Amino acid sequence: MSSIYVDEATGSDTTGSGSQESPYQTLGFALYTHPAASFLIRKDASVEYAEPTQSSLKKAKKTADGIEKKKKKQEELEAREAQASQAEKEKREKVLEESKKIVLVEDESLPKANKSKILGLGQYRTQRVRVFGWVHRLRQQKDIIFIVLRDGTGYLQAVLSGRVAQTYSALTLTLESSVELVGTLQQVPEGKTAPGGHELIVDYWSVVGPAPGGDDAFTNRLNEKSDPSIQADLRHLVLRGENASSILRLRAYMLTAFRKALTDHNLIEVTPPCLVQTQVEGGATLFKLDYYGQPAFLTQSSQLYLETCLPSLGDVFCVQESFRAENSHTRRHLSEYTHLEAELAFINFDDLMAHIEDVICNTVDTLLADPVAAALVKQLNPNFQPPARPFRRMNYVDAIAWLNEHNIQHPAEDAEGNPIKVDEKGLPTTDGSGTVLMVDHKVGDDIAEAAERQMTDAIGTPIFLYGFPAELKAFYMKKVPGQDGTGHVFTESCDLLMPNVGEIVGGSMRIADQEELLAAYRREGIDPEPYYWFTDQRKYGTCEHGGYGLGVERFLAWLANRYTVRECSLYPRWPGRATP
């Protein structure tokens, strides 16, 4: 028989095989594994293998005996555990078999139960009630089962004990099963807490729709450590969580508050189409589709349609989906988002910014005045403070100066818009190597998201950034008369920037003159024919007017302190994601 090799420096008792190429590390383990073999051992690679001494063999024998005893002890422990587990399994199977004999029947002699949503239970304390919902939390303690029930309006603690906790359904109940619970609603004892300050003492219940256990159990499919892509695939299950549902609940209150603020300002809500044949924010971000043989697009904005409502309905707004085909994966971009847009007639630029500020602040005030909405804000964003008025106003040219003063730079780009990379000496490279060249901002640059957010976060308050160069903005924006010597024409346009999010509102005054609008079409290479209905607004009684668009998900991200707008949409869409 060939010798077994032991190398105390580089060998391994875990992965070694005892060959010269894969030696063991200790003589004791080698002797335990190969008790009748001959051995060759060395301290390290600097010496040759040699036979072990008698004293080292004697010591190794003790080590091998110790390993053997430890192995036997472990086997005995595993055997006892297996026996206990089998006994426990048999005991549970017997209990489950016995539980099948217990059939619950609602006691008709008890007072009739009042059917109620969890939200309305407060009026029924000390009375019998009937509630339906999903098992949000589940805990078994001896012969008592504690359930936290969820029905979408709130949470309810329920207690099952005695016979109602001994049925087969009770012993096999799983999270997210839908159930019917009937019992007496009692105030929780002093010193104890429960949602709503009460709990249900159940005297009858049934499973409406069971949820699976085992490998397909809810917590096995989804938990806090699940990969983001899994959470996106299982968004329909994520929505059952307290955070996700609270965000969507706050969103509903927020939209109601926005509608109140807008109607208080005498705006009327309208519903423009989502299928369009014109562009608003540039052709590069349009989703194109075939519409009965004609080219059509998903709308980027409802602004043009809102303008047509001004002569008949006065100031108007809409809450509508908008679509942008930008291949952008930032934390504040979605391919489909909810766009709150408004148009106002007979105003000037200062009126427009004052109106936006009013609507934002009135909406926040309404939310904080509602106890339920305020509690949601506090839950999601404990440090939230309403924005102080007036909002800071910063001219675009001043913003460029501010960025440069604070050494906030942006990547240099070549003529094709690709980042310019340089080597250690600062010389441009052509092979894709090197680092991106960072340069100061200059008037005419489109302030990038990262720089804009750095500035907003540093200042720490809402900022109206206004007066952008015309070449950075849409064709329909009103130009500021004259120039400031920079060589640029500027617009009466503004972005409202919020800390931690950045831009949440974009607005402007609109071109009111028909000839100026036609010139804007020509400058942008736009065929005016499909826009005849929009141009007619300047032909049949024009007026000074302006409007804005607010990103609902971005506003909610600011309000609820969410890292990404993807958390603020029911089923978010971004490049590559259109499921579920």
Side-chain angles (χ1 to χ4, degrees):
M1 180 180 179
S2 59
S3 297
I4 299 298
Y5 287 84
V6 177
D7 187 324
E8 295 180 344
T10 62
S12 172
D13 291 342
T14 305
T15 60
S17 63
S19 67
Q20 190 169 357
E21 295 76 19
S22 180
Y24 292 120
Q25 185 179 33
T26 64
L27 184 58
F29 186 81
L31 186 59
Y32 164 74
T33 310
H34 306 277
S38 60
F39 302 96
L40 292 174
I41 187 170
R42 69 180 179 184
K43 295 288 185 184
D44 54 59
S46 66
V47 296
E48 295 292 328
Y49 280 104
E51 292 184 0
T53 63
Q54 286 301 313
S55 61
S56 61
L57 279 171
K58 188 175 181 181
K59 185 178 178 181
K61 181 70 168 61
K62 288 183 179 179
T63 303
D65 290 344
I67 294 173
E68 180 65 29
K69 287 178 182 178
K70 188 176 180 180
K71 180 186 176 185
K72 286 183 177 180
K73 189 174 181 180
Q74 181 63 30
E75 288 174 348
E76 289 172 0
L77 178 62
E78 289 174 356
R80 285 197 300 272
E81 288 178 347
Q83 188 175 5
S85 177
Q86 182 61 28
E88 185 65 30
K89 182 181 178 182
E90 291 173 359
K91 180 182 177 182
R92 176 166 174 77
E93 287 176 352
K94 184 177 180 181
V95 170
L96 286 174
E97 203 58 40
E98 289 296 316
S99 71
K100 293 177 182 178
K101 300 175 184 177
I102 301 174
V103 179
L104 292 183
V105 178
E106 188 170 358
D107 190 343
E108 298 294 336
S109 68
L110 295 174
K112 181 177 173 61
N114 301 288
K115 184 179 177 181
S116 175
K117 294 285 188 181
I118 292 174
L119 181 66
L121 283 176
Q123 61 184 312
Y124 295 120
R125 282 189 181 176
T126 73
Q127 300 180 44
R128 286 185 84 236
V129 296
R130 185 185 310 274
V131 292
F132 295 83
W134 289 263
V135 178
H136 188 65
R137 291 197 184 92
L138 179 64
R139 178 167 61 91
Q140 292 194 347
Q141 184 176 309
K142 294 185 178 179
D143 297 326
I144 302 176
I145 297 174
F146 295 92
I147 293 174
V148 174
L149 192 72
R150 180 190 75 242
D151 74 347
T153 71
Y155 299 89
L156 171 67
Q157 181 171 293
V159 182
L160 282 64
S161 62
R163 198 163 181 269
V164 294
Q166 296 167 4
T167 65
Y168 183 79
S169 293
L171 298 179
T172 58
L173 187 61
T174 53
L175 286 175
E176 293 304 324
S177 295
S178 53
V179 296
E180 171 192 17
L181 303 180
V182 184
T184 303
L185 191 67
Q186 295 184 353
Q187 186 171 340
V188 293
E190 191 173 343
K192 302 287 186 180
T193 59
H198 45 234
E199 63 184 3
L200 185 66
I201 308 303
V202 176
D203 58 55
Y204 172 78
W205 75 286
S206 66
V207 175
V208 176
D215 292 342
D216 213 24
F218 186 85
T219 50
N220 284 336
R221 290 195 69 193
L222 182 71
N223 56 62
E224 292 178 353
K225 296 180 181 179
S226 295
D227 184 89
S229 63
I230 294 175
Q231 292 191 31
D233 288 339
L234 300 180
R235 178 69 177 167
H236 59 294
L237 300 181
V238 170
L239 296 177
R240 301 186 180 206
E242 291 175 31
N243 258 357
S245 59
S246 293
I247 292 167
L248 293 177
R249 194 177 303 279
L250 178 58
R251 177 185 168 116
Y253 280 99
M254 185 187 78
L255 286 173
T256 299
F258 264 122
R259 285 187 164 97
K260 180 181 186 304
L262 289 160
T263 54
D264 285 350
H265 281 74
N266 299 311
L267 276 74
I268 289 180
E269 183 172 4
V270 295
T271 308
C274 282
L275 283 172
V276 301
Q277 291 186 305
T278 51
Q279 69 182 51
V280 182
E281 301 293 340
T285 65
L286 286 166
F287 283 109
K288 189 175 182 179
L289 56 99
D290 184 287
Y291 185 68
Y292 300 105
Q294 302 177 55
F297 312 99
L298 295 176
T299 185
Q300 302 161 312
S301 166
S302 298
Q303 175 212 318
L304 306 189
Y305 294 101
L306 292 179
E307 289 190 44
T308 68
C309 298
L310 294 177
S312 55
L313 299 175
D315 299 342
V316 290
F317 76 96
C318 70
V319 181
Q320 190 85 322
E321 299 308 293
S322 283
F323 305 84
R324 299 284 171 90
E326 296 174 89
N327 192 15
S328 177
H329 293 263
T330 77
R331 61 190 176 101
R332 68 176 193 174
H333 279 92
L334 292 169
S335 299
E336 175 187 8
Y337 66 99
T338 305
H339 210 174
L340 189 155
E341 298 181 88
E343 289 292 319
L344 301 96
F346 302 105
I347 62 169
N348 60 35
F349 191 36
D350 282 334
D351 294 335
L352 177 64
M353 287 191 284
H355 166 86
I356 295 170
E357 183 174 312
D358 270 349
V359 169
I360 295 290
C361 292
N362 293 348
T363 297
V364 172
D365 289 345
T366 298
L367 284 169
L368 297 183
D370 183 308
V372 178
L376 287 168
V377 174
K378 183 72 175 175
Q379 172 196 334
L380 295 165
N381 188 2
N383 299 318
F384 179 78
Q385 293 293 327
R389 302 183 67 174
F391 292 174
R392 178 170 177 169
R393 298 188 182 187
M394 180 184 286
N395 183 280
Y396 164 85
V397 175
D398 294 336
I400 293 293
W402 190 99
L403 291 169
N404 291 335
E405 287 168 10
H406 291 78
N407 198 32
I408 297 175
Q409 298 181 307
H410 70 105
E413 295 180 347
D414 60 22
E416 284 74 41
N418 301 310
I420 297 173
K421 291 189 175 183
V422 294
D423 59 23
E424 294 177 355
K425 297 180 179 179
L427 298 174
T429 62
T430 57
D431 59 359
S433 63
T435 58
V436 175
L437 175 64
M438 302 298 289
V439 295
D440 287 345
H441 288 81
K442 63 182 186 299
V443 174
D445 286 342
D446 190 1
I447 301 175
E449 176 192 346
E452 179 184 85
R453 194 164 59 240
Q454 278 183 269
M455 180 179 72
T456 310
D457 292 352
I459 293 173
T461 60
I463 304 168
F464 273 118
L465 190 58
Y466 70 93
F468 294 91
E471 64 266 28
L472 300 179
K473 290 297 180 180
F475 71 91
Y476 52 77
M477 293 188 179
K478 182 179 178 181
K479 312 299 184 292
V480 177
Q483 298 182 10
D484 68 345
T486 64
H488 293 272
V489 176
F490 294 88
T491 55
E492 287 192 334
S493 58
C494 64
D495 288 347
L496 178 58
L497 313 178
M498 287 295 198
N500 300 321
V501 178
E503 179 195 345
I504 62 168
V505 179
S508 77
M509 295 298 292
R510 319 308 194 189
I511 292 174
D513 180 76
Q514 181 178 351
E515 290 306 314
E516 187 180 347
L517 180 61
L518 291 171
Y521 290 146
R522 290 192 295 271
R523 188 169 56 251
E524 295 294 325
I526 296 173
D527 179 4
E529 179 56 31
Y531 293 84
Y532 70 92
W533 50 274
F534 180 65
T535 309
D536 274 355
Q537 303 311 307
R538 281 77 180 163
K539 182 177 180 180
Y540 294 93
T542 191
C543 72
E544 292 295 319
H545 63 288
Y548 58 92
L550 176 145
V552 168
E553 290 82 8
R554 289 188 185 182
F555 188 89
L556 182 56
W558 167 73
L559 186 67
N561 194 28
R562 298 297 101 182
Y563 176 75
T564 170
V565 293
R566 294 176 185 181
E567 295 183 59
C568 301
S569 173
L570 182 64
Y571 286 99
R573 302 297 189 231
W574 65 87
R577 169 63 60 177
T579 55

